[in-house]
Amino acid sequence: MVAQLDYPRMQEVFRRFSAAEPHPKGELEHTNAFTLLVAVALSAQATDVGVNKATRALWPVADTPQKMLELGEEGLIEHIKSIGLYRNKAKNVIKLSRILVEQYGGEVPSSRAALISLPGVGRKTANVVLNMWWGHPAQAVDTHIFRVGNRSGICPGKDVDVVERAIEDNVPVEWQRHAHHWLILHGRYICTARKPRCADCLIRDLCGFEEKTE
């Protein structure tokens, strides 16, 4: 495993990320906390591009828990059937919409525990919503972050929970608000799985990955 970067190098890594993209944003399209929650839940084992294509026609008719219940499971399936695991995801979205209406007054709760209690919502989904909607420095570790963290030494760990703690413990606090977005985008477009674009990497000289590509 690549060794953890030291504090000065970590500062410089995120200074560069910030200089290149001061206000990074997630790529899932949404209009409010509910549509963000649903979009993230739908994105499991699917691409953001595929989810966005499906939800562009969905949000105008079902952008609140009540409207989603009125649309119903079959109506929702018609909108999201291009997404993997759509039947199970539709069941969960209808269930969580009912819970939001009955227990939370139609509002999305802002605590991790409450979010995780919803059907189809895991820790990663909860952290995305906490970060993107409420500005909490929660770290949503996906395959991109796991790969970048371990390759580079920014936040190495044997599983996603360890990587999440490594970001929280070792990334300077001033960079934690956007840390997971910078790392996701870096992994999606530069530090790719099969052939990382090391020649185009803005942290190449700070990265601990020994098998850098030309």
Side-chain angles (χ1 to χ4, degrees):
M1 182 180 293
V2 175
Q4 174 78 43
L5 297 188
D6 58 35
Y7 183 80
R9 293 174 76 189
M10 193 79 80
Q11 278 277 23
E12 180 60 16
V13 163
F14 286 96
R15 186 200 66 77
R16 292 183 191 180
F17 281 151
S18 179
E21 183 60 73
H23 304 290
K25 296 180 180 179
E27 297 181 326
L28 286 171
E29 297 172 4
H30 60 282
T31 60
N32 54 32
F34 175 70
T35 55
L36 174 60
L37 174 65
V38 173
V40 180
L42 293 176
S43 72
Q45 299 183 49
T47 66
D48 289 0
V49 172
V51 173
N52 289 339
K53 185 176 180 180
T55 57
R56 283 174 191 146
L58 175 62
W59 299 151
V61 297
D63 62 349
T64 69
Q66 185 59 49
K67 290 180 182 177
M68 189 65 75
L69 290 176
E70 292 167 1
L71 178 64
E73 187 175 323
E74 291 304 315
L76 175 56
I77 284 175
E78 284 303 306
H79 283 87
I80 68 170
K81 60 185 178 182
S82 60
I83 300 173
L85 306 174
Y86 66 90
R87 289 192 181 279
N88 189 56
K89 290 176 179 178
K91 289 181 185 296
N92 284 332
V93 169
I94 295 302
K95 288 179 181 177
L96 73 83
S97 296
R98 183 168 290 108
I99 291 171
L100 291 177
V101 169
E102 294 177 353
Q103 299 183 22
Y104 296 98
E107 300 294 327
V108 175
S110 59
S111 82
R112 183 182 286 114
L115 287 167
I116 291 176
S117 73
L118 298 171
V121 178
R123 186 178 180 88
K124 185 181 78 171
T125 296
N127 282 352
V128 172
V129 175
L130 291 172
N131 182 285
M132 290 182 62
W133 194 256
W134 282 287
H136 183 74
Q139 309 302 330
V141 178
D142 68 353
T143 56
H144 296 301
I145 293 181
F146 187 79
R147 179 177 64 255
V148 173
N150 279 290
R151 267 186 186 166
S152 65
I154 293 172
C155 45
K158 63 182 179 181
D159 57 45
V160 294
D161 292 334
V162 175
V163 171
E164 180 182 333
R165 288 195 297 272
I167 298 173
E168 294 173 345
D169 292 345
N170 299 311
V171 173
V173 68
E174 62 267 34
W175 308 120
Q176 290 205 13
R177 171 68 175 83
H178 295 309
H180 93 274
H181 277 133
W182 285 318
L183 294 171
I184 286 173
L185 294 173
H186 192 65
R188 184 172 290 166
Y189 298 111
I190 301 296
C191 194
T192 53
R194 295 185 179 179
K195 191 176 181 181
R197 296 169 50 199
C198 297
D200 300 321
C201 178
L202 55 78
I203 62 166
R204 178 187 173 104
D205 58 314
L206 303 170
C207 173
F209 186 46
E210 295 181 354
E211 302 173 25
K212 293 185 176 71
T213 61
E214 295 301 325

mmCIF file of all heavy atoms in Angstrom, residues 39-70:
data_model
loop_
_atom_site.group_PDB
_atom_site.id
_atom_site.type_symbol
_atom_site.label_atom_id
_atom_site.label_comp_id
_atom_site.label_asym_id
_atom_site.label_seq_id
_atom_site.Cartn_x
_atom_site.Cartn_y
_atom_site.Cartn_z
ATOM 1 N N ALA A 39 -31.785 10.918 -6.778
ATOM 2 C CA ALA A 39 -30.784 10.780 -7.839
ATOM 3 C C ALA A 39 -29.583 9.977 -7.366
ATOM 4 O O ALA A 39 -29.079 9.108 -8.080
ATOM 5 C CB ALA A 39 -30.343 12.156 -8.329
ATOM 6 N N VAL A 40 -29.119 10.257 -6.157
ATOM 7 C CA VAL A 40 -27.961 9.529 -5.626
ATOM 8 C C VAL A 40 -28.317 8.070 -5.405
ATOM 9 O O VAL A 40 -27.526 7.168 -5.711
ATOM 10 C CB VAL A 40 -27.445 10.166 -4.324
ATOM 11 C CG1 VAL A 40 -26.242 9.385 -3.796
ATOM 12 C CG2 VAL A 40 -27.057 11.614 -4.556
ATOM 13 N N ALA A 41 -29.517 7.807 -4.888
ATOM 14 C CA ALA A 41 -29.957 6.424 -4.689
ATOM 15 C C ALA A 41 -30.040 5.682 -6.026
ATOM 16 O O ALA A 41 -29.669 4.511 -6.125
ATOM 17 C CB ALA A 41 -31.304 6.396 -3.975
ATOM 18 N N LEU A 42 -30.502 6.359 -7.055
ATOM 19 C CA LEU A 42 -30.611 5.743 -8.381
ATOM 20 C C LEU A 42 -29.251 5.494 -9.012
ATOM 21 O O LEU A 42 -29.107 4.629 -9.884
ATOM 22 C CB LEU A 42 -31.441 6.631 -9.319
ATOM 23 C CG LEU A 42 -32.925 6.803 -9.000
ATOM 24 C CD1 LEU A 42 -33.557 7.784 -9.975
ATOM 25 C CD2 LEU A 42 -33.655 5.470 -9.033
ATOM 26 N N SER A 43 -28.239 6.242 -8.581
ATOM 27 C CA SER A 43 -26.922 6.160 -9.227
ATOM 28 C C SER A 43 -26.105 4.949 -8.801
ATOM 29 O O SER A 43 -25.041 4.697 -9.379
ATOM 30 C CB SER A 43 -26.122 7.441 -8.948
ATOM 31 O OG SER A 43 -25.697 7.498 -7.594
ATOM 32 N N ALA A 44 -26.575 4.195 -7.824
ATOM 33 C CA ALA A 44 -25.852 2.997 -7.408
ATOM 34 C C ALA A 44 -25.731 2.038 -8.581
ATOM 35 O O ALA A 44 -26.727 1.691 -9.213
ATOM 36 C CB ALA A 44 -26.582 2.328 -6.241
ATOM 37 N N GLN A 45 -24.504 1.634 -8.893
ATOM 38 C CA GLN A 45 -24.228 0.736 -10.020
ATOM 39 C C GLN A 45 -24.773 1.284 -11.335
ATOM 40 O O GLN A 45 -25.223 0.531 -12.213
ATOM 41 C CB GLN A 45 -24.784 -0.662 -9.748
ATOM 42 C CG GLN A 45 -24.167 -1.317 -8.503
ATOM 43 C CD GLN A 45 -24.679 -2.735 -8.289
ATOM 44 O OE1 GLN A 45 -24.688 -3.536 -9.197
ATOM 45 N NE2 GLN A 45 -25.096 -3.016 -7.059
ATOM 46 N N ALA A 46 -24.756 2.609 -11.460
ATOM 47 C CA ALA A 46 -25.183 3.273 -12.694
ATOM 48 C C ALA A 46 -24.327 4.521 -12.860
ATOM 49 O O ALA A 46 -23.699 4.991 -11.917
ATOM 50 C CB ALA A 46 -26.662 3.635 -12.633
ATOM 51 N N THR A 47 -24.319 5.075 -14.054
ATOM 52 C CA THR A 47 -23.539 6.290 -14.291
ATOM 53 C C THR A 47 -24.385 7.528 -14.038
ATOM 54 O O THR A 47 -25.613 7.500 -14.183
ATOM 55 C CB THR A 47 -23.021 6.335 -15.738
ATOM 56 O OG1 THR A 47 -24.147 6.453 -16.639
ATOM 57 C CG2 THR A 47 -22.220 5.077 -16.076
ATOM 58 N N ASP A 48 -23.726 8.617 -13.684
ATOM 59 C CA ASP A 48 -24.437 9.881 -13.508
ATOM 60 C C ASP A 48 -25.111 10.299 -14.813
ATOM 61 O O ASP A 48 -26.223 10.829 -14.808
ATOM 62 C CB ASP A 48 -23.467 10.980 -13.055
ATOM 63 C CG ASP A 48 -23.007 10.782 -11.621
ATOM 64 O OD1 ASP A 48 -23.427 9.804 -10.980
ATOM 65 O OD2 ASP A 48 -22.209 11.620 -11.137
ATOM 66 N N VAL A 49 -24.444 10.069 -15.929
ATOM 67 C CA VAL A 49 -25.006 10.424 -17.232
ATOM 68 C C VAL A 49 -26.316 9.679 -17.459
ATOM 69 O O VAL A 49 -27.316 10.255 -17.894
ATOM 70 C CB VAL A 49 -24.009 10.113 -18.364
ATOM 71 C CG1 VAL A 49 -24.666 10.288 -19.728
ATOM 72 C CG2 VAL A 49 -22.785 11.012 -18.267
ATOM 73 N N GLY A 50 -26.320 8.387 -17.144
ATOM 74 C CA GLY A 50 -27.524 7.588 -17.334
ATOM 75 C C GLY A 50 -28.653 8.012 -16.413
ATOM 76 O O GLY A 50 -29.828 8.060 -16.829
ATOM 77 N N VAL A 51 -28.320 8.341 -15.166
ATOM 78 C CA VAL A 51 -29.339 8.801 -14.212
ATOM 79 C C VAL A 51 -29.912 10.139 -14.663
ATOM 80 O O VAL A 51 -31.137 10.340 -14.653
ATOM 81 C CB VAL A 51 -28.746 8.912 -12.796
ATOM 82 C CG1 VAL A 51 -29.752 9.566 -11.839
ATOM 83 C CG2 VAL A 51 -28.361 7.527 -12.272
ATOM 84 N N ASN A 52 -29.056 11.060 -15.073
ATOM 85 C CA ASN A 52 -29.526 12.378 -15.526
ATOM 86 C C ASN A 52 -30.469 12.251 -16.722
ATOM 87 O O ASN A 52 -31.485 12.955 -16.808
ATOM 88 C CB ASN A 52 -28.345 13.264 -15.896
ATOM 89 C CG ASN A 52 -27.550 13.708 -14.686
ATOM 90 O OD1 ASN A 52 -28.051 13.709 -13.559
ATOM 91 N ND2 ASN A 52 -26.307 14.088 -14.891
ATOM 92 N N LYS A 53 -30.144 11.355 -17.633
ATOM 93 C CA LYS A 53 -30.993 11.163 -18.814
ATOM 94 C C LYS A 53 -32.381 10.699 -18.401
ATOM 95 O O LYS A 53 -33.389 11.135 -18.974
ATOM 96 C CB LYS A 53 -30.339 10.143 -19.738
ATOM 97 C CG LYS A 53 -31.067 9.942 -21.053
ATOM 98 C CD LYS A 53 -30.310 8.978 -21.956
ATOM 99 C CE LYS A 53 -31.044 8.778 -23.285
ATOM 100 N NZ LYS A 53 -30.306 7.842 -24.177
ATOM 101 N N ALA A 54 -32.434 9.835 -17.393
ATOM 102 C CA ALA A 54 -33.718 9.307 -16.940
ATOM 103 C C ALA A 54 -34.512 10.315 -16.118
ATOM 104 O O ALA A 54 -35.747 10.358 -16.202
ATOM 105 C CB ALA A 54 -33.491 8.038 -16.113
ATOM 106 N N THR A 55 -33.836 11.131 -15.329
ATOM 107 C CA THR A 55 -34.553 12.001 -14.390
ATOM 108 C C THR A 55 -34.962 13.351 -14.983
ATOM 109 O O THR A 55 -35.752 14.060 -14.368
ATOM 110 C CB THR A 55 -33.705 12.257 -13.131
ATOM 111 O OG1 THR A 55 -32.442 12.832 -13.494
ATOM 112 C CG2 THR A 55 -33.477 10.963 -12.361
ATOM 113 N N ARG A 56 -34.465 13.692 -16.145
ATOM 114 C CA ARG A 56 -34.853 14.986 -16.736
ATOM 115 C C ARG A 56 -36.354 15.083 -16.990
ATOM 116 O O ARG A 56 -36.930 16.171 -16.887
ATOM 117 C CB ARG A 56 -34.070 15.232 -18.025
ATOM 118 C CG ARG A 56 -32.640 15.670 -17.766
ATOM 119 C CD ARG A 56 -31.800 15.773 -19.009
ATOM 120 N NE ARG A 56 -30.391 15.951 -18.633
ATOM 121 C CZ ARG A 56 -29.381 15.453 -19.317
ATOM 122 N NH1 ARG A 56 -29.603 14.750 -20.425
ATOM 123 N NH2 ARG A 56 -28.140 15.644 -18.915
ATOM 124 N N ALA A 57 -36.964 13.952 -17.295
ATOM 125 C CA ALA A 57 -38.419 13.949 -17.476
ATOM 126 C C ALA A 57 -39.155 13.609 -16.183
ATOM 127 O O ALA A 57 -40.367 13.834 -16.075
ATOM 128 C CB ALA A 57 -38.808 12.947 -18.567
ATOM 129 N N LEU A 58 -38.415 13.080 -15.204
ATOM 130 C CA LEU A 58 -39.036 12.684 -13.937
ATOM 131 C C LEU A 58 -39.239 13.866 -13.007
ATOM 132 O O LEU A 58 -40.311 14.001 -12.394
ATOM 133 C CB LEU A 58 -38.176 11.618 -13.252
ATOM 134 C CG LEU A 58 -38.599 11.162 -11.855
ATOM 135 C CD1 LEU A 58 -39.987 10.518 -11.895
ATOM 136 C CD2 LEU A 58 -37.573 10.189 -11.279
ATOM 137 N N TRP A 59 -38.234 14.715 -12.872
ATOM 138 C CA TRP A 59 -38.329 15.796 -11.891
ATOM 139 C C TRP A 59 -39.506 16.753 -12.138
ATOM 140 O O TRP A 59 -40.134 17.208 -11.165
ATOM 141 C CB TRP A 59 -37.030 16.590 -11.812
ATOM 142 C CG TRP A 59 -35.807 15.826 -11.394
ATOM 143 C CD1 TRP A 59 -34.513 16.088 -11.751
ATOM 144 C CD2 TRP A 59 -35.714 14.693 -10.510
ATOM 145 N NE1 TRP A 59 -33.652 15.189 -11.182
ATOM 146 C CE2 TRP A 59 -34.359 14.326 -10.416
ATOM 147 C CE3 TRP A 59 -36.661 13.949 -9.804
ATOM 148 C CZ2 TRP A 59 -33.918 13.249 -9.634
ATOM 149 C CZ3 TRP A 59 -36.228 12.861 -9.034
ATOM 150 C CH2 TRP A 59 -34.888 12.530 -8.956
ATOM 151 N N PRO A 60 -39.854 17.081 -13.375
ATOM 152 C CA PRO A 60 -41.003 17.975 -13.566
ATOM 153 C C PRO A 60 -42.327 17.416 -13.040
ATOM 154 O O PRO A 60 -43.250 18.187 -12.750
ATOM 155 C CB PRO A 60 -41.053 18.165 -15.088
ATOM 156 C CG PRO A 60 -39.636 17.960 -15.543
ATOM 157 C CD PRO A 60 -39.136 16.853 -14.654
ATOM 158 N N VAL A 61 -42.423 16.094 -12.906
ATOM 159 C CA VAL A 61 -43.690 15.505 -12.443
ATOM 160 C C VAL A 61 -43.601 14.910 -11.044
ATOM 161 O O VAL A 61 -44.635 14.611 -10.427
ATOM 162 C CB VAL A 61 -44.181 14.409 -13.425
ATOM 163 C CG1 VAL A 61 -44.468 15.015 -14.784
ATOM 164 C CG2 VAL A 61 -43.176 13.269 -13.537
ATOM 165 N N ALA A 62 -42.395 14.727 -10.513
ATOM 166 C CA ALA A 62 -42.271 14.081 -9.192
ATOM 167 C C ALA A 62 -41.051 14.606 -8.454
ATOM 168 O O ALA A 62 -40.099 13.876 -8.203
ATOM 169 C CB ALA A 62 -42.195 12.568 -9.347
ATOM 170 N N ASP A 63 -41.101 15.872 -8.071
ATOM 171 C CA ASP A 63 -39.957 16.470 -7.388
ATOM 172 C C ASP A 63 -40.167 16.621 -5.886
ATOM 173 O O ASP A 63 -39.387 17.268 -5.190
ATOM 174 C CB ASP A 63 -39.600 17.830 -7.998
ATOM 175 C CG ASP A 63 -40.727 18.845 -7.865
ATOM 176 O OD1 ASP A 63 -41.863 18.453 -7.486
ATOM 177 O OD2 ASP A 63 -40.485 20.041 -8.146
ATOM 178 N N THR A 64 -41.228 15.999 -5.359
ATOM 179 C CA THR A 64 -41.474 15.967 -3.913
ATOM 180 C C THR A 64 -41.902 14.547 -3.547
ATOM 181 O O THR A 64 -42.371 13.785 -4.413
ATOM 182 C CB THR A 64 -42.586 16.936 -3.486
ATOM 183 O OG1 THR A 64 -43.847 16.449 -3.985
ATOM 184 C CG2 THR A 64 -42.330 18.350 -4.000
ATOM 185 N N PRO A 65 -41.771 14.173 -2.272
ATOM 186 C CA PRO A 65 -42.219 12.832 -1.870
ATOM 187 C C PRO A 65 -43.687 12.572 -2.189
ATOM 188 O O PRO A 65 -44.045 11.481 -2.638
ATOM 189 C CB PRO A 65 -41.954 12.809 -0.365
ATOM 190 C CG PRO A 65 -40.858 13.798 -0.161
ATOM 191 C CD PRO A 65 -41.109 14.871 -1.157
ATOM 192 N N GLN A 66 -44.558 13.568 -1.977
ATOM 193 C CA GLN A 66 -45.983 13.381 -2.246
ATOM 194 C C GLN A 66 -46.239 13.153 -3.731
ATOM 195 O O GLN A 66 -47.016 12.261 -4.115
ATOM 196 C CB GLN A 66 -46.779 14.588 -1.756
ATOM 197 C CG GLN A 66 -48.291 14.428 -1.895
ATOM 198 C CD GLN A 66 -48.823 13.239 -1.127
ATOM 199 O OE1 GLN A 66 -48.518 13.045 0.044
ATOM 200 N NE2 GLN A 66 -49.642 12.414 -1.788
ATOM 201 N N LYS A 67 -45.597 13.927 -4.572
ATOM 202 C CA LYS A 67 -45.782 13.749 -6.018
ATOM 203 C C LYS A 67 -45.242 12.392 -6.471
ATOM 204 O O LYS A 67 -45.791 11.772 -7.384
ATOM 205 C CB LYS A 67 -45.086 14.877 -6.778
ATOM 206 C CG LYS A 67 -45.743 16.233 -6.634
ATOM 207 C CD LYS A 67 -44.971 17.284 -7.418
ATOM 208 C CE LYS A 67 -45.589 18.671 -7.255
ATOM 209 N NZ LYS A 67 -44.789 19.708 -7.976
ATOM 210 N N MET A 68 -44.167 11.936 -5.823
ATOM 211 C CA MET A 68 -43.600 10.635 -6.177
ATOM 212 C C MET A 68 -44.598 9.528 -5.819
ATOM 213 O O MET A 68 -44.785 8.572 -6.583
ATOM 214 C CB MET A 68 -42.281 10.411 -5.448
ATOM 215 C CG MET A 68 -41.508 9.179 -5.919
ATOM 216 S SD MET A 68 -40.939 9.290 -7.643
ATOM 217 C CE MET A 68 -39.557 10.451 -7.457
ATOM 218 N N LEU A 69 -45.254 9.655 -4.675
ATOM 219 C CA LEU A 69 -46.266 8.673 -4.288
ATOM 220 C C LEU A 69 -47.438 8.691 -5.269
ATOM 221 O O LEU A 69 -47.992 7.643 -5.613
ATOM 222 C CB LEU A 69 -46.761 8.949 -2.874
ATOM 223 C CG LEU A 69 -45.767 8.681 -1.741
ATOM 224 C CD1 LEU A 69 -46.366 9.096 -0.395
ATOM 225 C CD2 LEU A 69 -45.353 7.213 -1.707
ATOM 226 N N GLU A 70 -47.818 9.869 -5.714
ATOM 227 C CA GLU A 70 -48.921 9.982 -6.667
ATOM 228 C C GLU A 70 -48.541 9.383 -8.016
ATOM 229 O O GLU A 70 -49.392 8.805 -8.710
ATOM 230 C CB GLU A 70 -49.319 11.450 -6.824
ATOM 231 C CG GLU A 70 -49.962 12.027 -5.564
ATOM 232 C CD GLU A 70 -50.082 13.539 -5.593
ATOM 233 O OE1 GLU A 70 -49.675 14.144 -6.616
ATOM 234 O OE2 GLU A 70 -50.564 14.125 -4.598
#
